[in-house]
Amino acid sequence: MKPNSGTLVINIMNGGKAEAYEGVYQCTARNERGAAISNNIVIRPSRSPLWTKEKLEPNQVREGDSLVLHCRPPVGLPPPIIFWMDNAFQRLPQSERVSQGLNGDLYFSNVQPEDTREDYICYARFNHTQTIQQKQPISVKVLSTKPVTERQPVLLTPTGSTSTKVELRGNVLLLECIAAGLPTPVIRWIKEGGELPANRTFFENFKKTLKIIDVSEADSGNYKCIARNILGSVHHVISVTVKAAPYWITAPKNLVLSPGEDGTLICRANGNPKPNISWLANGVPIAIAPEDPSRKVDGDTIIFSHVQERSSAVYQCNASNEYGYLLANAFVNVLAEPPRILTPPNKLYQVIADSPALLHCAYFGSPKPEIEWFKGVKGSILRGNEYVFHDNGTLEIPVAQKDSSGTYTCVARNELGKTQNEVQLEVKDPTMIIKQPEYKVIQRYGQVSFECIIKHDSTLLPTVIWLKDNDELPDDERFLIGKDNLTIMNVTDKDDGTYTCIVNTTLDSVSASAVLTVVARPNPPFDLELTGQLERSIELSWIPGDENNSPITNFVIEYEDGLHEPGVWHYQTEVPGTQTTVQLKLSPYVNYSFRVIAVNEIGRSQPSEPSEQYLTKSANPDENPSNVQGIGSEPDNLVITWESLKGFQSNGPGLQYKVSWRQKDVDDEWTSVIVANVSKYIVSGTPTFVPYEIKVQALNDLGYAPEPSEVIGHSGEDLPMVAPGNVQVHVINSTLAKVHWDPVPVKTVRGHLQGYKVYYWKVQSLSRRSRRHVEKKILTFRGNKTFGMLPGLEPYSSYKLNVRVVNGKGEGPASPDKVFKTPEGVPSSPSFLKITNPTLDSLTLEWGSPTHPNGVLISYILKFQPINNTHELGPLVEIRIPANESSMILKNLNYSTRYKFYFNAQTSVGSGSQITEEAVTIMDEGKMAMASRQVDIATQGWFIGLMCAVALLILILLIVCFIRRNKGGKYPVKEKEDAHADPEIQPMKEDDGTFGEYSDAEDHKPLKKGSRTPSDRTVKKEDSDDSLVDYGEGVNGQFNEDGSFIGQYSGKKEKEPAEGNESSEAPSPVNAMNSFV
């Protein structure tokens, strides 16, 4: 035995035989409290005996018969592993026809000529001794017979129709059926009256072996194997009985009792057959063990009553049947111990919120202590459904919250004393991924980033790990791990997969995953093949390349004509992405090569390798040149043009064109020429602009194309010969006229009629009788129109016009000039309006005549109205002025008043646009002086100081009044003030709440935008278009048809405009000052 150990060492390395130590061993451990014994340990030496010598006769068997080659290995310990090999140490192939049985024999359901050989060798491998034993080779010779007779199945093993099998519970059940027959039978297994157990049933050796693992009593029953071929079937029933070595239902457990307590030891086991239960005390059968009055044996139970310390002992329970036994030791310890808590004091527990918290309180004591838990220093005992109290003293908080943190006290007490222990609980916030990585689709060689933003308890230090497909990230510098993300640069196909962000702390772990799909253009198709070659068609097929995670939507087929355009690829057709063959139409005399391009959402693949070449036979042209035209470039020729055929359209060598023409509507024969390598032919000596019938036909060395269609062309054009006649002008209004003419004869046009041009120009203005530079205007009227409108004419003017016909060559002669006049219109606005010499009650107005009178002026219209300081408008006054006047003095005006003027000219047709201006009459000098003196007083320092003193005095009086009132007294001065209001201490105006100081800011206000004038008081026309909005917050203005203003100024209160004789004088600042003093 080893020192200080119960281990027994048997060493035969230095001599001795293993057989000398064969036997059953058992260990006993003993002290003053009792004795415990171990299970029986059986020692047996391993054996690997040799095969007995035997004489093996060669096996001769007819083709199709069955054969069994017996192995019969020597009995070893443990049993050997059997396998069949040949002389070259190669395993013999096995199949449904040839297979090895569970006993090691080699079974042939039927032999074939290829089974003939002399080296069928059975080997036995003894793993424990690491040796392999070999049987002598067995010779098999198959005798061929014709014909081979087919046979229905016959079982080689097991024999007969029924057999039995006993297996122990928990072991592996192996059932075998091997059948002979020709053709080779097929084996099928069923369980009579039930189903084969799911998940525990397996078929081996080509379904010849049924394997059921972990069998139980429920697996007992009849199992049928059925062997079947085309000639019939045979079956065998194996009756399986599952026995059981003893197994525990309740094993006896150690028992700690205090003196005077009661207890029981229970030893319950089951098996098949049912095991016998026997008890031992300290390794001695309990029947002959020292007697203990507190002990009573009742079958599988020992009952203890009022135990004493001398009752301590080790009891053994033995449960046995014919298939094995169980042995268990149970220590009954009778002692008296005060409570002890084994959990370390002040142990810190940390958990995540909303998860369980387990606070341990391992204890020992006899009698068994009672455990109580408290929270906090002065907390009450914990009770209720929110806690779970385990028998081992552990306190469980099923759902810990932040407020569950704190100090917990465990108290253990029995009749011999009590003890306590404190532990600490900290509840942490859970770790969360608040921004998870998302599914990404990225193109190859792009850049992608996965986010993983976390939130965690501030006292926990998280670590973030990224995985790809549940494995470490590749060791590649393209993978960049940031604080909150993973970035992959220059993405490749191998980066495709699932990426997982794992966040770990010492208390919890969370993860989130996202898939990265790398897409790219598809790989090019390959293995192009041409089949079904015909003169005008061929079939092309191909194999698609990898679509690179983006489905192929279509294939584009291109062709190269190696005969006419080598190296140039043309579009042929395209097909859906699900199609890999296409029937292609071909043209004659083309040396075709084809290639295919795959297309997906990302783009087009590289072209495939070209297919083999295919040269089609020559043929007549199928088509003639297109876009045939006949247009003369000169009056005496006809230029015939066409679009030449492409190389592959020629259909053969020697492509030429037959050009034919004849004059239309004349009985002429066709004139033809044959040309090559051109697309134009000129016919000379033709009449001017006559129609021709034209046709162009293709031909090659094999013949002509089909008869072409005819087109109509014309020989060259010449300038028109005559001018339009009967030109008439109808004046519609002062700016619009309509012109009519007769069309010219078609023959005189001498070309394609494109239309007519009208030339017109202004001769002079009738109002000024002055000529100016003549600027001709041109209007073109397309087609065969015989009239047109002339817009944009100037009123009251004299015009001339003529008309010319136009063809493709140019313009014909002009018609005689036609004179017409436009009537009067309304004039433009006066060229200027000046207001000068302002006095107290008058203003001088000067103006210039309109730049465009557009007729005879009959008068000027002057309108004006006053504007007060609140921008309200007074009554509108209108004055008519003779047309020959250019100035006037406007009298009887109000002093210091702003006026707005509206001025326009008038013809017999009506009033023209108006010009506006504003001006102000001057102020009375005497009143101005008074206002100046008042202003001087108001701005004196002593006056300002006086006003401040008055304000301070009022403030003091208010404070004193407030204090007196708070004391409950009356303030007589206040009553006097109420009875005799002093005007000198009324510093605030009722209307606006401000001091009544005079401000002369109003006198220095600049004029509004519309009244700003240069120093010479001249107002230009373009400067007079001021806005009425400058004089009020809202203006509802309208204008008459002649442009005159009919609106009104409106102030903030939207008063009606002043009318009648109401004064529009503005409030005087002098009056404002007098009202204060």
Side-chain angles (χ1 to χ4, degrees):
M1 289 180 58
K2 281 187 177 181
N4 302 319
S5 170
T7 302
L8 176 64
V9 179
I10 300 174
N11 190 345
I12 59 173
M13 300 297 294
N14 299 324
K17 294 183 179 181
E19 289 80 359
Y21 299 97
E22 185 173 3
V24 180
Y25 294 78
Q26 189 175 46
C27 172
T28 301
R30 189 185 306 276
N31 66 8
E32 68 274 8
R33 290 281 186 173
I37 59 176
S38 70
N39 284 314
N40 290 340
I41 302 170
V42 180
I43 296 180
R44 298 179 65 186
S46 62
R47 297 182 179 89
S48 54
L50 299 176
W51 253 289
T52 58
K53 290 189 180 286
E54 57 182 325
K55 185 177 180 180
L56 301 177
E57 297 292 334
N59 292 278
Q60 291 188 352
V61 60
R62 291 181 304 171
E63 181 181 357
D65 288 351
S66 61
L67 175 65
V68 179
L69 298 182
H70 298 288
C71 180
R72 299 191 184 98
V75 177
L77 190 67
I81 297 173
I82 306 301
F83 51 91
W84 289 81
M85 293 198 298
D86 57 15
N87 278 333
F89 296 102
Q90 298 297 317
R91 285 185 178 269
L92 296 176
Q94 298 190 21
S95 63
E96 289 183 343
R97 186 178 64 86
V98 182
S99 60
Q100 177 182 316
L102 293 176
N103 62 357
D105 293 347
L106 191 62
Y107 292 85
F108 294 79
S109 295
N110 53 80
V111 295
Q112 302 295 329
E114 61 267 22
D115 296 330
T116 298
R117 61 190 310 155
E118 297 181 351
D119 56 351
Y120 286 93
I121 304 173
C122 180
Y123 288 86
R125 183 175 65 205
F126 297 91
N127 286 341
H128 200 269
T129 59
Q130 297 182 352
T131 59
I132 296 177
Q133 303 293 350
Q134 172 184 334
K135 186 181 179 72
Q136 290 182 349
I138 301 174
S139 174
V140 174
K141 184 177 181 180
V142 178
L143 303 176
S144 297
T145 59
K146 299 296 181 180
V148 178
T149 304
E150 293 183 340
R151 295 178 293 106
Q152 67 180 15
V154 175
L155 285 175
L156 297 176
T157 183
T159 58
S161 60
T162 62
S163 61
T164 60
K165 173 77 172 181
V166 175
E167 191 56 78
L168 290 181
R169 180 178 184 270
N171 287 354
V172 176
L173 173 65
L174 293 174
L175 304 179
E176 181 180 55
C177 272
I178 301 177
L182 185 67
T184 302
V186 176
I187 305 297
R188 186 168 67 92
W189 291 89
I190 62 173
K191 182 180 181 182
E192 293 182 346
E195 298 289 336
L196 295 175
N199 303 323
R200 295 190 293 117
T201 301
F202 304 91
F203 298 100
E204 297 180 346
N205 198 19
F206 309 100
K207 292 193 175 181
K208 299 175 186 178
T209 302
L210 171 64
K211 178 181 178 180
I212 301 177
I213 63 174
D214 193 22
V215 295
S216 65
E217 289 86 343
D219 295 323
S220 298
N222 294 330
Y223 292 81
K224 179 187 287 187
C225 70
I226 304 170
R228 185 186 303 275
N229 67 7
I230 58 176
L231 298 181
S233 64
V234 65
H235 68 270
H236 183 90
V237 176
I238 304 174
S239 179
V240 174
T241 302
V242 178
K243 299 291 186 178
Y247 56 90
W248 290 117
I249 296 177
T250 303
K253 298 179 181 179
N254 294 337
L255 191 60
V256 178
L257 299 174
S258 60
E261 281 190 329
D262 300 337
T264 58
L265 283 181
I266 299 174
C267 176
R268 289 178 184 158
N270 202 358
N272 187 7
K274 188 171 182 63
N276 294 319
I277 304 295
S278 61
W279 289 95
L280 295 88
N282 294 327
V284 178
I286 201 165
I288 60 176
E291 190 172 336
D292 183 355
S294 65
R295 177 183 67 211
K296 178 183 177 182
V297 178
D298 184 9
D300 59 5
T301 304
I302 300 179
I303 302 172
F304 297 95
S305 302
H306 302 286
V307 296
Q308 303 301 317
E309 290 193 27
R310 65 177 178 274
S311 300
S312 296
V314 179
Y315 290 86
Q316 290 82 34
C317 172
N318 185 307
S320 60
N321 66 10
E322 59 188 281
Y323 298 107
Y325 80 98
L326 296 173
L327 180 68
N329 291 277
F331 178 37
V332 177
N333 189 8
V334 180
L335 75 163
E337 286 284 340
R340 283 184 291 154
I341 295 180
L342 308 179
T343 301
N346 293 316
K347 184 174 182 179
L348 176 62
Y349 294 92
Q350 294 180 326
V351 297
I352 295 297
D354 297 325
S355 62
L358 296 174
L359 309 183
H360 299 299
C361 182
Y363 63 90
F364 181 77
S366 182
K368 181 181 178 181
E370 293 182 358
I371 303 298
E372 293 177 334
W373 282 92
F374 300 85
K375 182 182 178 184
V377 179
K378 297 181 179 179
S380 59
I381 187 170
L382 298 181
R383 291 188 179 87
N385 296 330
E386 55 194 286
Y387 301 103
V388 177
F389 302 94
H390 294 273
D391 290 341
N392 63 357
T394 297
L395 170 65
E396 178 181 354
I397 306 175
V399 184
Q401 302 295 332
K402 292 287 286 185
D403 58 4
S404 301
S405 299
T407 301
Y408 289 80
T409 303
C410 166
V411 177
R413 61 164 56 89
N414 66 9
E415 60 189 35
L416 301 178
K418 80 168 185 175
T419 185
Q420 67 181 40
N421 187 33
E422 290 184 352
V423 294
Q424 307 295 325
L425 174 63
E426 292 181 358
V427 180
K428 308 290 186 179
D429 289 326
T431 304
M432 295 184 292
I433 301 178
I434 58 177
K435 184 69 180 295
Q436 298 188 359
E438 297 176 347
Y439 172 73
K440 295 291 179 69
V441 177
I442 191 70
Q443 292 190 32
R444 186 188 295 163
Y445 309 125
Q447 175 180 321
V448 67
S449 182
F450 291 107
E451 286 188 295
C452 185
I453 301 177
I454 63 174
K455 179 182 178 183
H456 61 91
D457 192 283
S458 59
T459 62
L460 299 178
L461 182 62
T463 58
V464 179
I465 302 173
W466 286 91
L467 302 179
K468 179 182 183 294
D469 296 329
N470 294 324
D471 204 350
E472 293 184 357
L473 290 178
D475 186 12
D476 193 328
E477 61 184 9
R478 297 181 300 108
F479 289 79
L480 306 177
I481 299 178
K483 178 184 177 183
D484 298 323
N485 57 38
L486 167 65
T487 302
I488 308 174
M489 313 288 291
N490 197 23
V491 172
T492 63
D493 291 340
K494 65 181 181 181
D495 299 329
D496 201 277
T498 300
Y499 289 83
T500 304
C501 166
I502 301 177
V503 185
N504 292 319
T505 67
T506 55
L507 298 181
D508 62 348
S509 177
V510 291
S511 65
S513 299
V515 175
L516 172 63
T517 300
V518 181
V519 296
R521 299 179 180 183
N523 292 349
F526 56 94
D527 282 356
L528 272 65
E529 183 179 4
L530 296 176
T531 56
Q533 290 89 342
L534 300 174
E535 290 187 3
R536 293 298 184 98
S537 69
I538 198 169
E539 186 176 89
L540 172 67
S541 60
W542 61 91
I543 298 176
D546 193 338
E547 63 184 19
N548 292 324
N549 294 324
S550 181
I552 295 174
T553 56
N554 57 295
F555 293 100
V556 177
I557 294 89
E558 297 180 340
Y559 73 92
E560 176 196 30
D561 182 1
L563 193 62
H564 302 99
E565 295 179 291
V568 179
W569 290 90
H570 301 276
Y571 173 84
Q572 172 89 10
T573 186
E574 61 183 85
V575 297
T578 56
Q579 189 172 329
T580 57
T581 60
V582 63
Q583 193 77 20
L584 301 174
K585 294 182 179 179
L586 305 179
S587 296
Y589 195 54
V590 177
N591 193 14
Y592 280 100
S593 290
F594 299 98
R595 69 183 188 185
V596 183
I597 300 171
V599 182
N600 63 10
E601 288 187 356
I602 310 304
R604 295 162 62 102
S605 72
Q606 292 294 320
S608 67
E609 292 295 324
S611 69
E612 59 181 307
Q613 291 187 329
Y614 178 62
L615 178 62
T616 55
K617 295 180 180 180
S618 302
N620 293 6
D622 292 326
E623 52 189 310
N624 288 302
S626 59
N627 197 23
V628 178
Q629 293 183 338
I631 302 174
S633 61
E634 297 295 336
D636 60 350
N637 75 3
L638 171 66
V639 180
I640 302 174
T641 60
W642 62 90
E643 286 187 10
S644 301
L645 298 180
K646 304 290 185 183
F648 71 91
Q649 294 175 309
S650 64
N651 287 6
L655 177 64
Q656 295 177 304
Y657 302 100
K658 180 181 177 182
V659 184
S660 304
W661 68 91
R662 69 180 178 185
Q663 189 171 340
K664 191 174 183 297
D665 300 329
V666 177
D667 271 345
D668 282 352
E669 294 293 328
W670 287 95
T671 303
S672 302
V673 295
I674 294 178
V675 295
N677 300 322
V678 296
S679 59
K680 180 173 72 173
Y681 183 77
I682 300 177
V683 180
S684 302
T686 63
T688 300
F689 197 67
V690 295
Y692 278 86
E693 295 175 323
I694 304 166
K695 58 183 180 180
V696 180
Q697 186 177 24
L699 67 151
N700 61 18
D701 291 349
L702 277 77
Y704 285 87
E707 184 67 22
S709 58
E710 300 171 5
V711 297
I712 303 298
H714 289 80
S715 56
E717 299 181 70
D718 206 348
L719 294 176
M721 299 173 61
V722 299
N726 192 22
V727 177
Q728 301 291 330
V729 179
H730 172 61
V731 178
I732 296 175
N733 57 37
S734 61
T735 60
L736 181 66
K738 184 176 184 180
V739 58
H740 294 262
W741 62 87
D742 291 339
V744 299
V746 174
K747 291 185 178 180
T748 65
V749 177
R750 298 199 297 179
H752 294 287
L753 176 64
Q754 294 188 356
Y756 293 87
K757 285 188 178 180
V758 177
Y759 287 75
Y760 65 101
W761 61 96
K762 180 180 176 181
V763 178
Q764 66 178 12
S765 173
L766 298 179
S767 60
R768 299 185 178 182
R769 304 294 180 183
S770 60
R771 295 182 178 273
R772 62 176 182 173
H773 173 69
V774 176
E775 179 184 353
K776 290 188 176 182
K777 298 181 180 179
I778 304 173
L779 285 178
T780 301
F781 300 94
R782 299 289 178 187
N784 199 22
K785 290 189 69 174
T786 59
F787 67 92
M789 307 297 289
L790 305 181
L793 303 177
E794 294 187 14
Y796 207 51
S797 300
S798 176
Y799 281 88
K800 285 185 179 181
L801 65 78
N802 58 53
V803 185
R804 310 176 194 197
V805 66
V806 183
N807 66 10
K809 190 72 174 179
E811 300 177 5
S815 66
D817 291 348
K818 187 75 174 179
V819 178
F820 66 96
K821 298 178 181 179
T822 56
E824 288 186 83
V826 296
S828 63
S829 62
S831 56
F832 68 88
L833 174 63
K834 285 197 305 184
I835 303 174
T836 59
N837 303 325
T839 65
L840 286 174
D841 61 351
S842 68
L843 293 169
T844 301
L845 279 68
E846 298 177 1
W847 59 89
S849 61
T851 306
H852 301 287
N854 296 336
V856 178
L857 296 180
I858 59 174
S859 65
Y860 292 102
I861 304 297
L862 174 66
K863 299 177 184 178
F864 64 94
Q865 59 188 148
I867 308 171
N868 63 19
N869 286 348
T870 60
H871 303 299
E872 294 176 342
L873 297 176
L876 188 65
V877 179
E878 181 176 327
I879 300 175
R880 185 177 297 273
I881 304 171
N884 58 353
E885 297 289 341
S886 62
S887 66
M888 73 172 292
I889 298 175
L890 198 59
K891 298 182 178 180
N892 298 322
L893 302 176
N894 296 327
Y895 69 90
S896 186
T897 302
R898 181 180 298 279
Y899 288 90
K900 189 171 182 79
F901 298 91
Y902 315 91
F903 193 68
N904 61 337
Q906 207 173 34
T907 65
S908 60
V909 177
S911 299
S913 56
Q914 65 185 7
I915 186 172
T916 63
E917 177 51 33
E918 293 183 12
V920 181
T921 55
I922 65 174
M923 183 180 291
D924 183 86
E925 294 181 359
K927 294 188 177 183
M928 289 176 62
M930 182 180 295
S932 176
R933 287 195 298 272
Q934 295 293 342
V935 168
D936 290 342
I937 294 172
T939 56
Q940 293 298 314
W942 64 267
F943 183 78
I944 295 173
L946 177 61
M947 294 299 101
C948 291
V950 171
L952 181 60
L953 178 60
I954 293 173
L955 180 60
I956 293 172
L957 290 175
L958 289 174
I959 292 172
V960 172
C961 178
F962 180 75
I963 293 173
R964 291 292 298 273
R965 285 209 173 180
N966 286 344
K967 292 181 178 180
K970 257 191 151 178
Y971 185 42
V973 178
K974 172 64 179 166
E975 297 176 358
K976 293 182 180 181
E977 286 177 348
D978 293 339
H980 306 285
D982 189 349
E984 288 297 323
I985 56 172
Q986 302 295 325
M988 307 296 286
K989 293 170 64 178
E990 291 181 359
D991 55 347
D992 58 3
T994 60
F995 283 104
E997 292 186 28
Y998 167 71
S999 172
D1000 62 350
E1002 189 68 28
D1003 292 344
H1004 301 287
K1005 283 185 180 178
L1007 293 177
K1008 295 294 180 179
K1009 175 182 177 183
S1011 63
R1012 293 178 184 173
T1013 59
S1015 58
D1016 62 357
R1017 310 296 291 172
T1018 303
V1019 180
K1020 301 295 184 183
K1021 173 189 173 184
E1022 56 268 23
D1023 295 333
S1024 65
D1025 297 332
D1026 53 349
S1027 172
L1028 300 184
V1029 178
D1030 291 342
Y1031 297 98
E1033 291 188 2
V1035 175
N1036 298 320
Q1038 298 179 348
F1039 288 84
N1040 284 327
E1041 291 181 359
D1042 62 355
S1044 61
F1045 180 69
I1046 61 170
Q1048 60 205 18
Y1049 282 108
S1050 62
K1052 294 183 179 180
K1053 298 182 180 179
E1054 300 184 359
K1055 294 182 179 180
E1056 295 295 328
E1059 296 181 0
N1061 297 324
E1062 291 179 11
S1063 173
S1064 62
E1065 182 179 353
S1068 170
V1070 177
N1071 294 336
M1073 187 64 193
N1074 289 337
S1075 67
F1076 176 74
V1077 298

